[in-house]
């Protein structure tokens, strides 16, 4: 503590099990003149703050909702409250400032150095305000602090009026929208924020329907034609008389996050392909076997044909020299060689071997093509696709793994196209099929029996439906509510990660669809997937 600084009292509100942020140790660096009092409840903390001797309150975010009354109770009366957060985010910081925090600090690597500096500054400002009794100055300082927070926050912030015209924005919004604040103010952004499934954007719905959104996925179509995926939270703004003034939107560019998510999905996809490796290898090995055998046979045929060809060359040379005696001799030898190697059969069988090898290589090409199509990265935006095609091509990949376990039945309806990420839908079908195979394998064991997997599709009023049914072990009733939870699995240890069905569920939800399951123990399961149809008025981009 600096020389001449009066003694100070700081109250630290932390969870009952003690702070994990080493807050007290950091504050004690202010020197012997700093008295730090630890509390574990809002009631105890507020009681201490009734004394003028308290200069600062530090609230550990781990205290949870117990810390909110401290923030709200000290917002107007003081002393200032500093929030320490081990898991900071813009949204959590904004919530703390809204409740009344004077500052919000991240428990980062330099936390022990930053906290004493912030604490000292807040104490000085508080004592100056307290001594002067200047409420107006405190309000100005708070407004200035809020302005700095808004300007320096990583998330973009927009405030719009009832017509959707921008009234204010921060630098992050300028960067994402691609224009300066002076140019943005007064411009309507309703056409910029577009819902993924088409129709009115989220900001427009917030204004017209007075709906709040939190963490929704959407996109911004900028004036230069580029589209940026965003995560957005929006809420209407009302005046003191209840009248609607506009809306506020906080959003982040999800381009990097989507790339990371795609990488995770790619890893999950490659893991699924890894489960098919043995079956695919066996499927490729069959055509490779007779191609290999045919090549050896064709090599022998070529050797025999070369013998005949040498006699042809001898005959040709004799004829060129007009040596009839040699020509007759060469002709006899040629006829004998052709008879020895059975030339007609050799030529016929050679042609057959070539055709078989071509068919085998074509089969291998199709297998490799299907695997390559499945393993490639998805498109950056949703496109028009058909679920029957996605389902059937995925089933063809899984078939080498399936055919010794189950009979595959298909009953596809005439589905209309939908707007989706095709590779993500193939990932969903892959996980459902692998899950069905494993369920049947668990049921039949080593008995040598086979189960049945049935694929069905149909058109409903507003959705297209896909059913994946199996005759496996089924799912116990107590597990049905948890089957889509991450890391939950009913398989033996080492047989599953518990991420397959969770991945399916989240991907379908991201598309605006639903995934449910019906099951009976010992009889099997049916997974039902519903995906929104393309509305007749929508164009090919789903907008």
């Amino acid at each position: 503590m600096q020389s001449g600084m009066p003694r100070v009292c700081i109250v630290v509100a932390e969870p009952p099990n003690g702070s994990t942020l080493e807050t007290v140790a950091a504050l004690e660096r202010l020197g012997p003149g700093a008295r730090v009092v630890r509390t574990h409840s809002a009631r105890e903390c507020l009681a201490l703050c009734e004394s003028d001797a308290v200069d600062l309150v530090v609230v550990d975010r781990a205290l949870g909702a117990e810390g909110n009354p401290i923030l709200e109770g000290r917002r107007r009366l003081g002393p200032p409250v500093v929030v320490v957060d081990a898991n900071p985010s813009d949204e959590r910081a904004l919530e703390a400032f809204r409740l009344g925090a004077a500052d919000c600090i991240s428990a980062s690597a330099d936390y022990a150095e930053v906290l004493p500096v912030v604490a000292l500054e807040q104490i000085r400002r508080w004592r100056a305000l307290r001594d002067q009794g200047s409420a107006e100055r405190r309000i100005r300082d708070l407004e200035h602090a809020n302005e700095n927070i808004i300007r320096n926050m990583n998330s973009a912030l927009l405030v719009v009026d009832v017509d959707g015209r921008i009234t204010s924005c921060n630098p992050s919004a300028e960067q994402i929208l691609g224009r300066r604040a002076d140019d943005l103010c007064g411009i309507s952004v309703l056409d910029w924020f577009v819902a993924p499934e088409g129709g009115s954007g989220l900001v427009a719905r917030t204004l017209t329907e007075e709906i709040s959104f939190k963490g929704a996925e959407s996109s911004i179509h900028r004036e230069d034609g580029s589209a940026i995926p965003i995560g957005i939270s929006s809420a209407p703004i009302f005046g003191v008389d209840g009248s609607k003034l506009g809306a506020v939107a906080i959003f982040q560019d999800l381009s990097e996050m989507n790339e990371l998510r795609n990488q995770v999905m790619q890893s999950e996809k490659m893991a699924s392909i890894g489960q098919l490796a043995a079956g695919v290898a066996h499927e490729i090995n069959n055509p490779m076997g007779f191609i290999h055998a045919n090549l050896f046979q064709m090599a022998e045929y070529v050797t025999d044909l070369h013998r005949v060809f040498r006699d042809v060359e001898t005959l040709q040379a004799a004829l060129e020299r007009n040596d009839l005696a040699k020509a007759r001799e060469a002709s006899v030898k040629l006829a004998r060689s052709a008879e020895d190697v059975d030339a007609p059969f050799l030529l016929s069988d050679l042609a057959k071997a070539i055709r078989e090898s071509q068919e085998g290589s074509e089969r291998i090409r199709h297998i490799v093509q299907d695997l390559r199509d499945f393993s490639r990265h998805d498109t950056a935006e949703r496109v028009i696709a058909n679920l029957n095609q996605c389902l059937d091509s995925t089933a063809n990949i899984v078939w080498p793994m399936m055919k010794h376990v189950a009979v595959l039945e298909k009953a596809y309806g005439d589905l209309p196209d939908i707007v989706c990420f095709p590779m993500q839908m193939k990932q969903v079908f892959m996980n459902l099929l692998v899950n069905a195979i494993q369920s049947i394998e668990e049921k039949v064991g080593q008995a040598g029996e086979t189960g049945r997997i049935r694929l069905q599709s149909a058109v409903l009023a507003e959705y297209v439906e896909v059913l994946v049914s199996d005759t496996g072990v089924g799912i116990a009733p107590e597990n049905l509510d948890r089957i889509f939870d991450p890391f939950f699995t009913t398989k033996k240890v080492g047989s599953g990660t518990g991420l397959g069905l969770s991945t399916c569920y989240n991907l379908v939800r991201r598309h605006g669809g639903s995934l449910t399951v019906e099951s009976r123990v010992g009889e099997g399961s049916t997974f039902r997937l519903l995906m929104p149809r393309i509305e007749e008025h929508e164009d090919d981009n789903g907008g």
Side-chain angles (χ1 to χ4, degrees):
M1 183 174 294
Q2 295 183 3
S3 176
M5 184 72 179
R7 294 179 62 86
V8 298
C9 179
I10 303 173
V11 177
V12 175
E14 60 185 9
N17 59 350
S19 173
T20 60
L21 304 178
E22 303 298 327
T23 301
V24 174
L27 292 171
E28 288 176 346
R29 298 180 65 172
L30 291 172
R35 184 169 69 95
V36 181
V37 181
R38 302 171 69 178
T39 67
H40 305 296
S41 69
R43 181 177 180 181
E44 184 180 2
C45 179
L46 292 172
L48 288 171
C49 290
E50 294 299 325
S51 168
D52 289 339
V54 176
D55 297 282
L56 179 70
V57 177
V58 178
V59 174
D60 188 336
R61 189 71 174 184
L63 193 60
E66 183 71 13
N68 293 346
I70 301 174
L71 291 166
E72 294 171 345
R74 298 296 94 196
R75 179 162 45 190
R76 294 185 179 277
L77 302 177
V81 180
V82 173
V83 174
V84 177
D85 198 341
N87 300 294
S89 67
D90 291 336
E91 195 169 88
R92 288 164 64 92
L94 284 174
E95 177 67 11
F97 285 115
R98 186 183 67 81
L99 291 172
D103 208 338
C104 190
I105 301 175
S106 168
S108 56
D110 57 351
Y111 166 69
E113 288 75 25
V114 172
L115 180 58
V117 175
V118 172
L120 195 57
E121 179 63 24
Q122 290 293 340
I123 291 171
R124 284 174 171 169
R125 293 173 62 184
W126 164 244
R127 287 189 170 183
L129 287 172
R130 186 176 59 186
D131 293 342
Q132 296 176 14
S134 176
E136 292 182 359
R137 180 176 177 180
R138 185 184 181 199
I139 292 174
R140 286 197 302 270
D141 286 346
L142 290 173
E143 290 176 345
H144 180 68
N146 289 338
E147 182 180 350
N148 285 335
I149 293 167
I150 292 173
R151 290 190 60 82
N152 293 304
M153 63 190 294
N154 291 329
S155 297
L157 182 143
L158 281 182
V159 179
V160 299
D161 61 20
V162 291
D163 297 320
R165 300 185 180 277
I166 299 175
T167 59
S168 64
C169 63
N170 67 351
S172 295
E174 297 178 46
Q175 182 178 1
I176 294 178
L177 297 177
R179 297 180 63 174
R180 298 180 57 184
D182 293 342
D183 299 327
L184 288 171
C185 288
I187 294 178
S188 175
V189 294
L190 297 186
D191 295 333
W192 293 19
F193 291 84
V194 181
E197 67 277 5
S200 300
L202 300 185
V203 176
R205 293 184 61 189
T206 295
L207 289 171
T208 57
E209 304 174 33
E210 299 181 0
I211 298 176
S212 296
F213 297 95
K214 183 177 180 180
E217 286 195 26
S218 184
S219 60
I220 291 178
H221 287 188
R222 299 199 303 188
E223 292 180 331
D224 60 5
S226 61
I228 299 177
I230 60 169
I232 182 172
S233 298
S234 61
I237 301 175
F238 299 99
V240 293
D241 59 352
S243 60
K244 184 167 60 179
L245 301 180
V248 59
I250 300 175
F251 52 95
Q252 290 181 317
D253 186 343
L254 297 183
S255 299
E256 293 184 3
M257 185 180 297
N258 283 352
E259 179 62 26
L260 179 60
R261 178 165 54 189
N262 289 338
Q263 291 176 9
V264 173
M265 287 303 306
Q266 188 71 5
S267 298
E268 177 72 16
K269 188 185 303 180
M270 296 308 295
S272 298
I273 292 178
Q275 297 181 50
L276 306 177
V280 170
H282 178 73
E283 192 74 2
I284 291 177
N285 189 55
N286 287 336
M288 278 302 299
F290 63 75
I291 289 175
H292 187 68
N294 284 344
L295 286 174
F296 272 102
Q297 186 65 49
M298 285 188 286
E300 293 179 0
Y301 288 167
V302 169
T303 300
D304 290 340
L305 286 174
H306 188 62
R307 173 186 169 187
V308 175
F309 185 70
R310 285 199 304 268
D311 292 340
V312 171
E313 289 180 327
T314 302
L315 175 60
Q316 183 180 14
L319 291 174
E320 289 177 351
R321 295 194 304 271
N322 201 23
D323 187 343
L324 296 181
K326 288 289 185 182
R328 283 193 294 269
E329 181 182 342
S331 177
V332 172
K333 186 177 181 182
L334 173 60
R336 188 181 303 115
S337 296
E339 183 179 357
D340 289 344
V341 301
D342 195 358
F345 169 78
L346 184 149
L347 292 173
S348 174
D349 203 48
L350 179 61
K352 179 182 177 182
I354 292 174
R355 287 194 303 271
E356 288 180 349
S357 299
Q358 288 174 329
E359 292 173 359
S361 64
E362 186 68 13
R363 173 58 183 157
I364 293 172
R365 189 184 70 83
H366 279 301
I367 293 173
V368 173
Q369 180 67 44
D370 287 340
L371 284 172
R372 185 173 62 182
D373 289 345
F374 182 80
S375 61
R376 69 176 45 158
H377 284 281
D378 214 336
T379 56
E381 295 186 355
R382 302 186 190 204
V383 296
I384 302 294
N386 188 277
L387 282 189
N388 278 345
Q389 190 278 328
C390 293
L391 178 60
D392 202 53
S393 64
T394 305
N396 290 338
I397 297 174
V398 181
W399 175 243
M401 178 183 178
M402 178 191 303
K403 61 184 181 181
H404 70 286
V405 176
V407 175
L408 180 64
E409 300 176 356
K410 300 179 181 179
Y412 298 157
D414 186 13
L415 298 187
D417 292 338
I418 65 170
V419 176
C420 67
F421 295 98
M423 298 311 300
Q424 292 186 9
M425 297 313 303
K426 291 182 180 181
Q427 176 70 40
V428 170
F429 296 141
M430 172 69 77
N431 288 353
L432 292 179
L433 286 168
V434 170
N435 188 76
I437 294 170
Q438 293 174 341
S439 180
I440 293 174
E441 285 181 327
E442 185 177 348
K443 180 178 180 180
V444 302
Q446 303 297 323
E449 302 175 1
T450 57
R452 187 180 73 255
I453 295 177
R454 183 172 176 83
L455 308 180
Q456 299 171 264
S457 62
V459 183
L460 305 181
E462 299 179 358
Y463 297 91
V464 294
E465 177 189 59
V466 173
L467 301 178
V468 179
S469 305
D470 65 72
T471 57
V473 293
I475 304 168
E478 63 269 19
N479 293 331
L480 282 175
D481 291 338
R482 303 179 58 196
I483 200 69
F484 297 115
D485 292 349
F487 303 107
F488 176 78
T489 179
T490 59
K491 299 181 178 67
K492 297 178 181 178
V493 176
S495 299
T497 63
L499 291 175
L501 292 178
S502 173
T503 298
C504 293
Y505 183 81
N506 290 328
L507 287 179
V508 174
R509 286 287 300 273
R510 184 186 178 199
H511 282 81
S514 65
L515 181 63
T516 56
V517 61
E518 295 181 1
S519 184
R520 290 186 178 182
V521 175
E523 297 183 13
S525 305
T526 296
F527 287 86
R528 183 173 187 245
L529 182 149
L530 295 178
M531 291 286 288
R533 295 176 56 182
I534 301 176
E535 298 295 335
E536 293 182 358
H537 65 274
E538 292 180 346
D539 57 27
D540 286 347
N541 292 322

